[in-house]
Amino acid sequence: MMKRIAVDLAAMGKAARGASRELAKLTTDQKNAALQAIADEIEAQAEMVLAQNALDIEDGRAKGLSDALLDRLLLTEKRMAGLAADTRNVATLSDPVGAEIEGRVLPNGIRLSRRRTPIGVLGVIYEARPNVTIDIATLSLKTGNAVILRGGSETLRSNLALVQVIQTALANQRIPRDAVQYIANPDRALVTELLHLDAYVDMIIPRGGAGLHKLCREQSTIPVITGGLGICHLYVEPGADVEGALNVIENSKVQRPSVCNALDTLLVHVDIASSFLPKLAARLNPHGVKFYADGPAFTILYTQEKTTVIEARPEDFDQEWLSLTLSVRLVDNLDEAITHIQTHGTGHSDGILTNDWKHATRFVNEIDSAAVFVNASTRFNDGGQFGLGAEVAVSTQKLHARGPMGLEALTTYKWVVYGDMHVRA
């Protein structure tokens, strides 16, 4: 049991505000040098970080955490190398700060432009995955934002070790350590206190379950970007390439089932159910996938050997499983599939597997999710896969940012006006 550390959030906020002003002065080269230094420090301190992570995993097993959640917590040598590589990749991305979004000369001769500028101070609340600590810190630094992090209690040691790595690298680059701070006390009351720190924090980004998002929306006095909660769907139509569809479903469900863009619900057209569902079971059974199926789908899957299937209740189609569990429902047509997704989806990642491009076009136009897929895995809804580098979150709301939140999503803009001693008539 770790000793709880007293936290003065107001002092942290004040320090973050000061650090953000220093970050705003940095050149792109200086920020990239800091990112390279962080990557080097990740590699140099990998053994220390892994030792702390091992303690978190040990505690997690003792508390009975699921295998899926333990996988989200786990750091390995390979994942540490990936964190260093991702950090170096962010250094190669274009710096959005200072970029001109638009510019024009007004009839009165004034030159007007909009330029990207850092948001200022971010407050990010997240659960489980310690790699998020590096993703958030690197994107924040690249965009000139200071950040106050609050991860889950289950990864406290891992996150503190990673923040130590980041702060050491920043200090070596003569950049304020307070540019990246971590709330080292897992007391939940501190989350509410952070949500009210509007004197210093400019934006809150929650990454976690529905409860966390609801808490932030209801209690924050700071603008909130919600995202990361995904009930993701695929709909299989008659005529779809069966082998290709099975590949996409398998990848969407089992490649990493504990993440927000993993498949939760499969909709299958009733005309192909009797032939497709046995093939689905044969493909997913070796991975240990458990099915929650509606009546007709349950009847078919129940007869398949070595298949674990439970008859689904209506509320099972509102589950983000984050595990090797898949809801299955049969639908009569595209209209029914679209209605199901509109009713049960969270606007995250939804797709259609089809060879009918009229249906594909309808699906794309009518499914209002952050990312809509045609014949592709939902696992592609990711900042790295979209070429954005690392991501802070996948936003499912519609204002300011939507989908994977990369560098541009962590900037705002200001109007810049050049005149020649102009006065308003």
Side-chain angles (χ1 to χ4, degrees), residues 230-252:
I231 299 175
C232 304
H233 300 78
L234 285 174
Y235 165 50
V236 189
E237 285 211 305
D241 173 17
V242 172
E243 187 64 22
L246 290 171
N247 289 340
V248 170
I249 294 164
E250 180 182 27
N251 181 261
S252 298

Side-chain angles (χ1 to χ4, degrees), residues 121-127 132-133 136-137 140 146-152 181-183 191 194-195 201 203-207 212 216 392-393 410:
V121 178
L122 311 178
V124 184
I125 307 164
Y126 55 108
E127 299 169 354
V132 173
T133 301
I136 294 168
S140 297
V147 63
I148 298 174
L149 302 167
R150 203 283 188 178
Q181 297 180 77
Y182 191 89
I183 300 174
V191 172
L194 175 62
L195 296 178
V201 178
M203 186 167 74
I204 295 289
I205 304 173
R207 288 186 58 155
L212 174 62
C216 292
V392 169
L410 295 184

